[in-house]
Amino acid sequence: MISFDFEYYKPATVSEAVALFQELENQGKQPRYYAGGTEVLTLGRLGLFVTHAVIDIKNTPEFQQTDANEDWMIFGAGVTLTELEDKNLFPLLSKSASEVADHTARNKITLGGNICGHIFYREAVLPLLLADSQLAVAGPAGTNIYSIHDLFNRRLQLKNGELLVQVFVETKYAALPYMSIKERQQWDTGYPLVTIAALKTEGTIRVAFSGVCSFPFRSAEIEEMLNHKETPLEARIQTALEYIPAPILNDGEGSDRYRKFVIKNLLFDIFTELGGT
Amino acid sequence: MLKDERYRITIKLKVNGEEKMVDIRTADTLLYVLREKLGLTGAKPGCLNGDCGACTVGINQRPMKSCLMLAAETEEKEIMTIEGLKSSPMQKAFIEHFAFQCGYCTSGFIMNAHLLSKHHPSGSDDIIKEWLASNICRCTGYKEIEDAVKSVLHFSERE
């Protein structure tokens, strides 16, 4: 039960949603965009999140679009993770999405919500980092397209009132060899201990990580080390770990030492499987 | 949708084939409205965090955790609760296989499994496991639940 009250709006277009946000912000109502809404409800119930106006953006057509043509795949930020899996336009993204939460929850969790949410794993962003995606972001100044690498640094760096509308991925990435492995503390449900997504393109294996630090990341230095084929694989992995961009997590899911052990083994498996030895 | 106060609205919900007008807070979850406003207490408050699945209902023929939905966002959607299932194959199977102990998780499991049988009438073990991992049984009656679900899905395959 959410103890605080909020107004509920359901705009028909993205521009209407953005304008409404500005209006409500000026009224001091701390508006929030609402897509799947799972974090609004769970964190709101615990008092970890407060708003006095939610803007339900699910009905805007761009937000729900899932499409592909010769050059681009288009994913609306409002598409649920199960819809991504079912359409399976980008198998690596489908695989990463399929490991988030559980099946019923994935009927509600959206691509945009997972990437922009407070919970820091944001695993759906890993394939998008690997595929050098483009992001359509709407704001008071209109809609602009950004490279994900210019906008995602630990989290999506959106200004107040901005809204992730769509993600574009070049169609060529859909057919490339990939792997996505999510290791948990135990069983097949729960937050990750370590998640690694990998994509092989032009003889190079790209890797992105979640659950290792308090943010998901892809590192050029780590990829350069791992793909240095003149060096034995185990030595490359050992060196690459020195470039992890922040302290490795040490928490209830696992210790930092255990995470390091798991990362080494996963990277070895990935590079062996994808032919990066 | 009629707005009579800033934080209250009157909405029309379509539940189990019937249209109901309800006065709600916009912050009310679907679970709360079903139970407290409509008297449909089959969906249960378990964790209220989207983890246990005891609150599972059907929304447009897909399982949804009603504690993770605002009632306000379900206008124009078809809502199905356990009360709307009338002697379905899955309910019969749960009885035949004694797939319940305290019964608290049962309505959530049956809703999810019923919708699974509609989407995947011959679902494999992997699909069954994937869908039903959304529900928890603290009595650990999982084996009987698995037998009940498989009896319905595999029966469909034989037909």
Side-chain angles (χ1 to χ4, degrees), chain B residues 123-158:
Chain B
S124 66
D125 285 1
D126 283 345
I127 288 177
I128 293 171
K129 187 180 168 190
E130 183 190 4
W131 278 58
L132 295 190
S134 310
N135 296 71
I136 296 172
C137 171
R138 290 291 274 128
C139 299
T140 68
Y142 293 114
K143 184 67 178 73
E144 290 79 9
I145 291 169
E146 181 186 3
D147 291 344
V149 173
K150 284 183 175 176
S151 74
V152 174
L153 268 59
H154 294 165
F155 183 77
S156 302
E157 190 177 60
R158 287 198 295 275

Side-chain angles (χ1 to χ4, degrees), chain B residues 13-135:
Chain B
L13 297 183
K14 198 183 274 187
V15 185
N16 298 327
E18 295 180 21
E19 289 184 350
K20 310 271 186 188
M21 298 296 290
V22 277
D23 174 61
I24 64 168
R25 288 171 67 227
T26 49
D28 284 343
T29 61
L30 177 63
L31 175 65
Y32 177 83
V33 170
L34 289 173
R35 291 178 59 84
E36 303 299 328
K37 299 288 185 177
L38 297 177
L40 297 170
T41 54
K44 300 285 187 273
C47 66
L48 295 177
N49 202 51
D51 296 319
C52 74
C55 65
T56 303
V57 298
I59 302 291
N60 291 351
Q61 298 295 311
R62 283 199 174 266
M64 288 287 189
K65 297 181 177 185
S66 58
C67 72
L68 290 183
M69 288 194 89
L70 292 173
E73 60 179 309
T74 60
E75 262 198 317
E76 298 167 18
K77 294 189 179 2
E78 301 272 347
I79 303 168
M80 179 168 59
T81 72
I82 190 71
E83 291 88 350
L85 292 187
K86 311 283 187 197
S87 299
S88 67
M90 196 57 71
Q91 286 166 301
K92 289 179 187 169
F94 267 62
I95 293 170
E96 283 164 13
H97 290 270
F98 203 69
F100 49 88
Q101 293 181 46
C102 78
Y104 203 77
C105 72
T106 305
S107 59
F109 261 107
I110 289 177
M111 287 308 305
N112 194 11
H114 169 77
L115 291 165
L116 164 62
S117 72
K118 297 300 176 190
H119 284 269
H120 300 283
S122 306
S124 66
D125 285 1
D126 283 345
I127 288 177
I128 293 171
K129 187 180 168 190
E130 183 190 4
W131 278 58
L132 295 190
S134 310
N135 296 71

Side-chain angles (χ1 to χ4, degrees), chain A residues 1-8 29 34 38 41-42 45 56 58 85-86 102-104 106-108 188, chain B residues 6-7 25-28 32 47-49 62-65 67-70 72-73 112 129-131 134:
Chain A
M1 189 66 162
I2 295 179
S3 59
F4 54 89
D5 287 312
F6 51 78
E7 298 169 18
Y8 175 81
K29 290 182 179 169
Y34 183 98
T38 54
L41 293 180
T42 54
R45 184 180 65 85
D56 188 345
K58 285 193 288 293
E85 291 173 62
D86 291 344
D102 60 63
H103 180 267
T104 303
R106 291 198 296 277
N107 285 335
K108 201 69 169 39
D188 293 330
Chain B
R6 265 192 315 166
Y7 305 123
R25 288 171 67 227
T26 49
D28 284 343
Y32 177 83
C47 66
L48 295 177
N49 202 51
R62 283 199 174 266
M64 288 287 189
K65 297 181 177 185
C67 72
L68 290 183
M69 288 194 89
L70 292 173
E73 60 179 309
N112 194 11
K129 187 180 168 190
E130 183 190 4
W131 278 58
S134 310

Side-chain angles (χ1 to χ4, degrees), chain A residues 44-84:
Chain A
R45 184 180 65 85
L46 296 171
L48 298 175
F49 173 90
V50 177
T51 178
H52 298 294
V54 299
I55 303 171
D56 188 345
I57 43 183
K58 285 193 288 293
N59 278 355
T60 59
E62 306 94 310
F63 218 57
Q64 297 300 329
Q65 187 178 0
T66 316
D67 216 343
N69 57 41
E70 207 172 284
D71 300 312
W72 292 97
M73 298 177 283
I74 303 167
F75 303 103
V79 172
T80 66
L81 298 187
T82 45
E83 285 165 345
L84 283 180

Side-chain angles (χ1 to χ4, degrees), chain A residues 9 113 132 177 192 228 231:
Chain A
Y9 297 90
D132 301 333
H228 193 259
T231 309

